[in-house]
């Protein structure tokens, strides 16, 4: 059968009978070993070897797992969304600060939050695992944890949490700060106590299979990364560029957040421009570091996307500090912050709409992108062609408006620096209207990147952060088979994508097209991206090998058909 077999036999009256044989089940590690052995023995071709490995199973090789014997004794207390794979065990902490402090004293930490926000980033970095009560597969916790390779379970509605008292109840037990729990981010299971984990290990077979995969695939594979460390990790795992740098993630460090808050609360353009000036060195430094790590590979930088209220302070101490810094009263700061409140922030003042109201933000980001590219090209000799990506576009004129701001600034910077740097301006396709009018949008956009997190949210009309709560009922009732935020809905959202690819290329035949929603690392969605003729997929660093393998499998299956 040219594969490892699981055989049943019996011996009766001295006679050997074979009862049945079938392909044996195997771990990911064993699958790679068997495939390579069979190639070496001349039993199968490298193509067959590549096709036989389940792409998703590579997660087992790239993330820690529980010790199988220890796991047998584990008690499952609850289950929720497997938002980021891997096993983690540690002591519960309820705030990012406490998680960070505990980590610094050598503790293994599990951060438990109602939901995470960008302000929690340092605590998330410190944690072995993250557990959130709310949120879906594309919520902040899920996306960021996946990027960092940290185990995460999200949307655990069974938890009754009291963050102030620092306790929660799950499966009939109340947990307090410092108690141990264990998370399996690959299955979504939450265990009682401290279960031993094993480090991930990659063998030489992994590299062989991956290089075979690379020789068959047509799709390029990029990564979603906004720190040099994540980008370097992704390159190690085979990323050929950055498909999405979410610039908002760069503003939350303690030194920077007061500056962006000052920008948001500015009353006049002049004040705002002054505040933005202070941010330029940080942004530019970040972009330079990314360009350096990527050594001339393509880097797509997405301009500020989230609604501004996500940046404003909620903590009394931070509000007071900001008031002092801006020469305002605490009441004035509070009232401006509350003016930013929106009923549906996901459909509110965000994405390119921010640049329409405040073109100075796009100007600052353009200056940072272009100056950084010119400097790194000169300093390191890389040929850098920055790709600036405008989010949440729904109309050609809207894109044109922002593009004009970008071009004007970029050309000014180039003239100042006497540079002939080439750059591209493109857009995300994440609003159904943009897909419907993709031919018009392509008049202005040099590339499309499908933001399928938002495109899924807006096509289904349910919130990516809240849908987890009721989707379980949909699976139980067999209305939906799987989470459309994890596995692309090819029937519905897929139609919009296919249409946008055709319409976009009808206008601009050499339009570069990719995907940067979380589906870019899901094997069946990657196969769909191959089928519709995208140029690349972009996914979180640890999913890069999965995407490489899935892309190869799609190309092989395509050739066979
Ligand atoms: C998306 O919407 O698919 C996307 C990549 O952008 P974000 O997740 O940052 O909204
Ligand atoms: Mg989006």
């Amino acid at each position: 059968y040219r594969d490892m077999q699981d055989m049943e036999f019996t011996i009766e009256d001295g006679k050997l009978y074979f009862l049945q044989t079938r392909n044996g089940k195997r771990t990911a590690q064993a699958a790679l070993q068997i495939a390579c052995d069979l190639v070496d023995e001349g039993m199968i071709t490298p193509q067959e070897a590549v096709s036989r490995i389940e792409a998703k199973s590579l997660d087992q090789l790239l993330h820690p797992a529980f010790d199988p014997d220890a796991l047998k004794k584990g008690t499952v207390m609850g289950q929720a969304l497997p938002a980021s794979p891997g096993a983690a065990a540690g002591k519960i902490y309820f705030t990012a600060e406490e998680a960070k402090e505990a980590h610094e004293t050598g503790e293994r930490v599990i951060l438990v939050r109602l939901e995470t926000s960008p302000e929690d980033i340092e605590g998330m970095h410190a944690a072995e695992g993250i557990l959130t009560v709310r949120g879906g597969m594309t919520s902040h916790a899920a996306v960021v944890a996946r990027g960092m390779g940290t185990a995460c379970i999200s949307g655990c509605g069974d938890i009754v949490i009291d963050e102030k008292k620092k306790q929660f109840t799950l499966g009939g037990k109340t947990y307090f700060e410092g108690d141990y729990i264990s998370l399996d981010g690959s299955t979504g299971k939450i265990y009682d106590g401290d279960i031993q984990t094993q480090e991930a290990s990659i063998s030489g077979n992994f590299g062989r299979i991956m290089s075979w995969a690379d020789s068959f695939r047509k799709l390029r594979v990029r990564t979603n990364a906004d720190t040099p460390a994540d980008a370097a990790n992704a390159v190690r795992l085979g990323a050929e560029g950055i498909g999405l740098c979410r610039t908002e993630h760069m503003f939350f460090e303690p030194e920077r957040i007061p500056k962006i808050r000052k920008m948001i609360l500015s009353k006049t353009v002049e004040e705002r421009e002054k505040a933005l000036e202070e941010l330029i060195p940080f942004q530019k430094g970040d972009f330079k570091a990314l360009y350096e790590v990527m050594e001339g590979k393509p880097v797509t930088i997405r301009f500020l996307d989230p609604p501004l209220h996500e940046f404003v302070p909620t903590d009394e101490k931070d509000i007071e500090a900001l008031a002092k810094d801006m020469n305002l009263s605490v009441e004035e700061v509070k009232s401006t912050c509350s003016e930013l409140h929106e009923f549906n922030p996901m459909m509110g003042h965000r994405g390119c709409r921010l640049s329409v109201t405040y073109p100075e933000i796009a100007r600052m980001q353009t200056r940072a992108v272009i100056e950084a590219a010119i400097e790194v090209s000169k300093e390191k000799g890389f040929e850098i062609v920055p790709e600036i990506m405008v989010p949440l576009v729904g109309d050609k004129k809207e894109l044109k408006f922002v593009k004009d701001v970008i071009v004007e600034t970029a050309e000014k910077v180039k003239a100042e620096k006497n540079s002939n740097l080439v750059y591209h301006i493109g857009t995300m396709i994440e609003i159904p209207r943009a897909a419907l009018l993709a031919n018009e949008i392509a008049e202005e956009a040099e590339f499309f990147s499908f933001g399928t997190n938002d495109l899924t949210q807006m096509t289904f009309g349910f919130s990516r952060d809240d849908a987890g709560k009721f989707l379980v009922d949909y699976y139980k009732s067999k209305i939906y088979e799987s989470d459309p935020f994890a596995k692309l809905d090819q029937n519905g959202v897929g139609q919009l994508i296919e249409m946008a690819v055709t319409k976009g290329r009808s206008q601009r035949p050499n339009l570069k097209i990719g995907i940067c929603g979380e589906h870019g690392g899901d094997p069946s969605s990657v196969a769909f991206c191959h089928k519709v003729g995208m140029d690349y997929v972009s996914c979180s660093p640890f999913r890069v090998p999965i995407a490489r393998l899935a892309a190869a499998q799609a190309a092989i299956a395509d050739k066979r058909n």
Side-chain angles (χ1 to χ4, degrees):
Y1 293 97
R2 297 158 61 246
D3 202 350
M4 185 266 278
Q5 297 296 298
D6 164 1
M7 287 202 267
E8 285 178 24
F9 64 91
T10 185
I11 300 167
E12 220 175 86
D13 296 333
K15 215 167 168 184
L16 171 67
Y17 294 88
F18 280 99
L19 302 177
Q20 71 166 20
T21 186
R22 60 190 162 188
N23 290 345
K25 296 244 181 297
R26 63 207 74 184
T27 62
Q29 196 85 39
L32 297 183
Q33 182 73 49
I34 292 163
C36 288
D37 283 354
L38 289 172
V39 170
D40 291 341
E41 288 167 22
M43 302 284 279
I44 61 173
T45 62
Q47 270 198 14
E48 284 173 297
V50 163
S51 303
R52 280 185 184 185
I53 315 281
E54 194 200 346
K56 186 90 186 56
S57 75
L58 297 182
D59 267 340
Q60 291 171 26
L61 304 177
L62 300 165
H63 300 279
F66 286 123
D67 175 273
D69 292 329
L71 188 62
K72 278 184 204 147
K73 294 178 215 132
T75 312
V76 179
M77 302 305 287
Q79 186 160 13
L81 296 175
S84 176
K91 287 186 178 174
I92 298 162
Y93 286 90
F94 290 88
T95 67
E97 296 76 48
E98 281 153 352
K100 192 174 160 232
E101 279 164 22
H103 170 74
E104 279 162 4
T105 66
E107 299 279 13
R108 282 174 291 121
V109 168
I110 302 287
L111 178 64
V112 181
R113 302 280 289 148
L114 194 57
E115 59 197 340
T116 64
S117 78
E119 277 177 290
D120 294 323
I121 191 73
E122 291 190 30
M124 295 173 81
H125 268 297
E128 307 284 317
I130 298 158
L131 171 61
T132 67
V133 180
R134 294 191 193 142
M137 292 296 279
T138 62
S139 62
H140 178 266
V143 169
V144 172
R146 231 173 279 146
M148 301 189 305
T150 301
C152 175
I153 296 178
S154 66
C156 187
D158 291 340
I159 288 183
V160 180
I161 191 169
D162 188 332
E163 284 182 310
K164 278 217 180 87
K165 281 200 188 151
K166 298 183 183 171
Q167 64 182 60
F168 72 80
T169 308
L170 178 66
K173 180 171 171 179
T174 302
Y175 289 86
F176 302 94
E177 183 181 88
D179 287 350
Y180 276 103
I181 54 165
S182 303
L183 309 179
D184 188 337
S186 312
T187 60
K189 287 192 175 129
I190 303 156
Y191 295 88
D192 188 42
D194 186 10
I195 300 176
Q196 203 183 332
T197 58
Q198 299 171 333
E199 276 312 302
S201 67
I202 302 180
S203 69
N205 292 323
F206 177 79
R208 271 183 97 190
I209 295 275
M210 281 297 132
S211 70
W212 286 330
D214 290 345
S215 69
F216 301 129
R217 69 185 159 91
K218 298 276 177 291
L219 280 169
R220 295 288 200 171
V221 178
R222 295 195 191 184
T223 192
N224 296 352
D226 21 75
T227 66
D230 284 355
N233 186 29
V235 169
R236 182 180 65 87
L237 295 170
E240 297 164 291
I242 291 181
L244 172 65
C245 163
R246 292 178 165 100
T247 51
E248 58 271 16
H249 289 177
M250 298 166 148
F251 291 124
F252 281 91
E253 277 174 24
E255 236 183 316
R256 306 174 180 202
I257 188 84
K259 296 189 173 21
I260 188 139
R261 286 175 176 161
K262 218 161 131 183
M263 183 283 283
I264 292 167
L265 266 71
S266 299
K267 293 270 187 254
T268 64
V269 177
E270 292 70 34
E271 255 184 71
R272 198 169 305 108
E273 278 176 340
K274 221 166 120 220
L276 283 163
E277 279 284 304
E278 291 184 41
L279 281 167
I280 287 192
F282 293 106
Q283 279 265 274
K284 186 168 139 187
D286 289 338
F287 296 148
K288 282 185 78 169
L290 277 185
Y291 292 142
E292 280 169 18
V293 167
M294 297 311 289
E295 298 183 330
K297 295 180 186 71
V299 175
T300 306
I301 292 169
R302 187 205 40 207
F303 278 7
L304 199 67
D305 183 44
L308 296 183
H309 80 86
E310 285 193 12
F311 297 96
V312 299
T314 45
D315 192 89
E316 201 66 30
K317 267 201 314 243
D318 292 340
I319 296 176
E320 279 167 24
L322 186 61
K324 199 164 155 221
D325 195 21
M326 295 191 71
N327 241 341
L328 296 170
S329 70
V330 166
E331 277 59 46
E332 276 175 299
V333 170
K334 280 188 179 164
S335 104
T336 317
C337 292
S338 70
E339 276 165 29
L340 288 168
H341 170 82
E342 292 175 305
F343 285 105
N344 288 310
M346 270 291 180
M347 300 175 93
H349 200 188
R350 57 172 286 221
C352 61
R353 298 160 200 166
L354 292 172
S355 301
V356 171
T357 313
Y358 310 116
E360 49 279 12
I361 299 180
R363 262 181 232 126
M364 179 281 277
Q365 294 204 286
T366 306
R367 179 166 282 278
V369 166
I370 302 294
E371 282 190 7
I374 294 172
E375 286 178 22
V376 177
S377 301
K378 268 203 199 125
E379 289 161 12
K380 305 279 173 185
F382 304 134
E383 198 182 316
I384 299 171
V385 182
E387 297 173 355
I388 295 175
M389 183 153 78
V390 183
L392 222 76
V393 162
D395 193 280
K396 177 182 86 168
K397 284 194 235 143
E398 193 180 29
L399 175 59
K400 171 88 167 60
F401 181 94
V402 183
K403 184 178 163 185
D404 286 349
V405 174
I406 296 170
V407 171
E408 192 194 304
T409 312
E411 293 306 318
K412 199 163 136 201
V413 175
K414 280 170 61 181
E416 282 167 19
K417 308 267 170 197
N418 200 12
S419 159
N420 57 2
L421 183 91
V422 176
Y423 58 93
H424 298 301
I425 301 173
T427 186
M428 296 187 74
I429 303 288
E430 49 186 349
I431 289 192
R433 192 172 193 275
L436 293 166
L437 298 172
N439 48 327
E440 292 186 9
I441 306 264
E443 287 173 35
E444 298 298 337
E446 288 175 88
F447 62 88
F448 282 177
S449 178
F450 286 95
T452 44
N453 304 333
D454 274 311
L455 192 60
T456 299
Q457 157 169 269
M458 306 222 189
T459 304
F460 277 89
F462 47 53
S463 153
R464 57 196 264 190
D465 297 315
D466 299 319
K469 254 190 269 170
F470 55 80
L471 279 176
V472 274
D473 301 327
Y474 278 67
Y475 311 139
K476 267 192 229 144
S477 307
K478 304 210 166 13
I479 299 173
Y480 296 140
E481 262 175 35
S482 58
D483 185 343
F485 289 104
K487 189 170 165 190
L488 189 77
D489 160 48
Q490 297 184 18
N491 267 349
V493 179
Q495 265 196 59
L496 285 171
I497 294 177
E498 228 170 331
M499 180 202 299
V501 169
T502 310
K503 286 190 164 209
R505 291 222 171 105
S506 72
Q507 172 63 40
R508 193 187 281 262
N510 63 351
L511 184 73
K512 199 194 276 178
I513 301 181
I515 181 173
C516 63
E518 289 304 300
H519 305 92
D522 167 67
S524 70
S525 314
V526 171
F528 176 81
C529 297
H530 168 89
K531 191 187 94 186
V532 301
M534 285 191 200
D535 297 295
Y536 69 88
V537 296
S538 187
C539 55
S540 50
F542 285 96
R543 285 174 145 196
V544 165
I546 296 177
R548 286 161 71 194
L549 189 56
Q553 290 172 345
I556 293 167
D558 197 8
K559 218 163 125 198
R560 253 192 234 129
N561 294 336

